Each structure stands twice: as structure tokens, then as C-alpha cells.
């Protein structure tokens, strides 16, 4: 049984004060007993406030990126070793904004996945095609190639424990959600790719999220799909009420 995971990706929003206020507003109303795992991935500068205020609650904490080296002369980067020491559970890697604006390659993403596991955390590996790729009919093969590259040399146990987020670029922040059927179709293809690369058990265990204009109004339909185990949510995860509605999609 895969535990559903509802995750906020705050991107470059929120400051430490707003972070503490957000957590105070949600922490006693989150789903209990791990029926739905909830997670906020915040800017690195907000992580101390997020970790401190979420302590003892059901809310997990994630970073939005890290480097693949633990330390060294890498000005401006974030150490996965230190993220783990701070108490961070997850790190998003390969978000389309990082691939697009910051030129991250599949190879970087694979190195980061290894570094995150080495440091006792779990990656949330993002993938997803542009509108141009989808319209050319190449969406599935494009995403499969991203997954193969990101998972290179990871063990089956590691893959079974990580999270993949399918985020079609054309649906991010545009208000244009992929239909639940489009999202399901791609998430099933991703699961099949994992089965082909590893085995059925690994594919059955890996959690796959959909991301791209998820909101309280459409989360239930998306989460009802067989191969969709969660959401990676930007805009609708910035307000406590909206995040709580997403987390309680099944109530
Ligand atoms: P929106 O939910 O704002 O479309 O963002 C999706 C996303 O990129 C989450 O990582």
C-alpha cells in the first residue's frame, strides 16, 4: 500500500515569519495517523523556521534543491549533508524551473539523487514535458528518458522509497491542469518504466505525484486515479486553508 503524499512546493515565496504563521495555522489540523503524508518544501532560508515550528507535528519538511557535494568551494550551494543534520526529510530535484532557468542536466539530477540518499534523505524527482514535446507526440518517450537518466545506478530499494513528480511544464502555474486521465496515463507510463528498469515490486512501491495547477477543486479527481499517489503543489499550497483542503482531499 502506497501512502498518499500531499506536498507543497513554495518556490521563492514566504519568509521565516510567514512560515511560522503558516505552520501554526495547519499543524493541529493535518491528517493524523499517517493516512496521508503531508510535506512542505521551502526555500533554504526558511528551513530553520519550518523545522522548528513543525517539530512534533505530522508535517514533514523538504528542501527545494541541494548540491551533489557535501562541502567544498561551491559558492552559493546548499549541502545535502547539512540539510540532513538539520532534520530535512525530502529534497526536490529536477524541477522544470531548475532545469529551465538554471540549466540543470539529467546528469546533475542523478548525482543529486545519489547524494540525497547518501545523506539519509529521499529525493522527489521531477519530470515533465513541454507543450511542444506533447504536441509532437513525444511526451511519453521524453519523460521515460528523464526517469531513466535520473535513476541511473540507484538500487531497487532506493527507487522503491523515493517519490517521482510528474509535472507537465504547460500545466505549471498556468491554471491549465492536465486532465486527470492525461495525468494518470503518464503516471502509469512512469510506473511501467520503473517496472522495466527494476521489477514489479519496486514499481508497485514507488510513489508518483502529479503537479501542475492542482487545487482544492480538482485534487479529489486527480487523487482518485490508480497510479497517482500525491500532488506537488505550488500556488495552492501557500495559504493554510487551501493546503489543509488539499491534505483532506479524501474527507
Ligand atoms: P502550481 O501548482 O503553482 O501550478 O505549481 C506546480 C509546481 O511546479 C509544483 O512543483
Amino acid at each position: 500500500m502506497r501512502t498518499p503524499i500531499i506536498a507543497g512546493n513554495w518556490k521563492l515565496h514566504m519568509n521565516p515569519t510567514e512560515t511560522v504563521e503558516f505552520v501554526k495555522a495547519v499543524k493541529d489540523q493535518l491528517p493524523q495517523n499517517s493516512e496521508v503524508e503531508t510535506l512542505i518544501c521551502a526555500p533554504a532560508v526558511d528551513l530553520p523556521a519550518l523545522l522548528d515550528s513543525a517539530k512534533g507535528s505530522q508535517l514533514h519538511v523538504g528542501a527545494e534543491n541541494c548540491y551533489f557535494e557535501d562541502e567544498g568551494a561551491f559558492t552559493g550551494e546548499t549541502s545535502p549533508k547539512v540539510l540532513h543534520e538539520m532534520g530535512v526529510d525530502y529534497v526536490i530535484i529536477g524541477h522544470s524551473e531548475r532545469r529551465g532557468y538554471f540549466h540543470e542536466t539529467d546528469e546533475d539530477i542523478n548525482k543529486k539523487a545519489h547524494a540525497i540518499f547518501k545523506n539519509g534523505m529521499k529525493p522527489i524527482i521531477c519530470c515533465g514535458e513541454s507543450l511542444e514535446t506533447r504536441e509532437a507526440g513525444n511526451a511519453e518517450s521524453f519523460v521515460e528518458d528523464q526517469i531513466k537518466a535520473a535513476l541511473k545506478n540507484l538500487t531497487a530499494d532506493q527507487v522503491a522509497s523515493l517519490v517521482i513528480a510528474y509535472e507537465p511544464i504547460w500545466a505549471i502555474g498556468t491554471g491549465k491542469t492536465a486532465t486527470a486521465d492525461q495525468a494518470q496515463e503518464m503516471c502509469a507510463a512512469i510506473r511501467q518504466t520503473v517496472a522495466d528498469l527494476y521489477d514489479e515490486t519496486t514499481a508497485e512501491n514507488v510513489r508518483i505525484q502529479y503537479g501542475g495547477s492542482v487545487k482544492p477543486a480538482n485534487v479529489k479527481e486527480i487523487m482518485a486515479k490508480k497510479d497517482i499517489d500525491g500532488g506537488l503543489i505550488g500556488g495552492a499550497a501557500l495559504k493554510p486553508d487551501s493546503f489543509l483542503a488539499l491534505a483532506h482531499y479524501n474527507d
Side-chain angles (χ1 to χ4, degrees):
M1 263 301 278
R2 300 185 294 268
T3 304
I5 176 166
I6 296 291
N9 169 14
W10 279 355
K11 308 191 178 185
L12 193 52
H13 296 286
M14 307 290 255
N15 65 29
T17 307
E18 292 161 342
T19 299
V20 172
E21 281 166 10
F22 178 97
V23 176
K24 209 190 274 178
V26 303
K27 74 176 191 179
D28 296 330
Q29 296 176 66
L30 294 168
Q32 299 297 309
N33 306 323
S34 307
E35 71 210 53
V36 176
E37 187 175 339
T38 51
L39 166 71
I40 292 289
C41 300
V45 288
D46 293 330
L47 289 173
L50 181 58
L51 284 158
D52 194 45
S53 53
K55 210 170 275 169
S57 77
Q58 297 286 326
L59 190 65
H60 290 260
V61 172
E64 297 177 11
N65 181 34
C66 70
Y67 196 48
F68 50 75
E69 297 288 352
D70 289 348
E71 59 188 19
F74 305 109
T75 302
E77 291 295 335
T78 301
S79 162
K81 179 164 174 269
V82 177
L83 288 177
H84 176 64
E85 285 166 2
M86 289 167 70
V88 168
D89 301 316
Y90 291 94
V91 186
I92 297 175
I93 51 174
H95 193 282
S96 59
E97 288 150 18
R98 296 220 52 91
R99 293 179 192 257
Y101 302 141
F102 304 101
H103 313 295
E104 278 189 22
T105 65
D106 283 332
E107 196 188 343
D108 295 330
I109 293 156
N110 177 247
K111 284 185 188 165
K112 290 180 182 194
H114 283 277
I116 290 162
F117 276 118
K118 190 187 88 179
N119 284 293
M121 301 177 291
K122 288 176 184 155
I124 297 176
I125 299 174
C126 299
C127 58
E129 80 287 355
S130 64
L131 190 57
E132 197 185 3
T133 302
R134 175 159 284 261
E135 285 176 346
N138 298 328
E140 274 193 23
S141 65
F142 181 85
V143 168
E144 278 169 23
D145 287 348
Q146 285 184 320
I147 294 299
K148 284 182 192 157
L151 301 183
K152 199 170 161 203
N153 294 331
L154 292 178
T155 66
D157 282 351
Q158 287 172 329
V159 175
S161 74
L162 59 72
V163 178
I164 295 172
Y166 168 57
E167 300 205 319
I169 297 169
W170 47 272
I172 296 176
T174 56
K176 198 172 167 186
T177 325
T179 65
D181 285 337
Q182 281 173 321
Q184 160 60 24
E185 198 180 352
M186 187 64 85
C187 290
I190 292 169
R191 202 176 298 288
Q192 188 56 50
T193 302
V194 173
D196 294 344
L197 288 172
Y198 293 88
D199 51 62
E200 290 296 335
T201 311
T202 307
E204 276 309 307
N205 281 303
V206 67
R207 290 184 294 175
I208 306 177
Q209 298 175 310
Y210 166 75
S213 299
V214 177
K215 45 189 181 278
N218 60 22
V219 64
K220 199 176 169 104
E221 187 192 0
I222 291 166
M223 289 300 292
K225 295 294 177 187
K226 172 171 160 288
D227 287 291
I228 303 179
D229 308 312
L232 186 57
I233 301 136
L238 290 167
K239 292 273 179 283
D241 285 357
S242 174
F243 183 70
L244 284 171
L246 291 163
H248 287 280
Y249 69 89
N250 212 15
D251 289 3

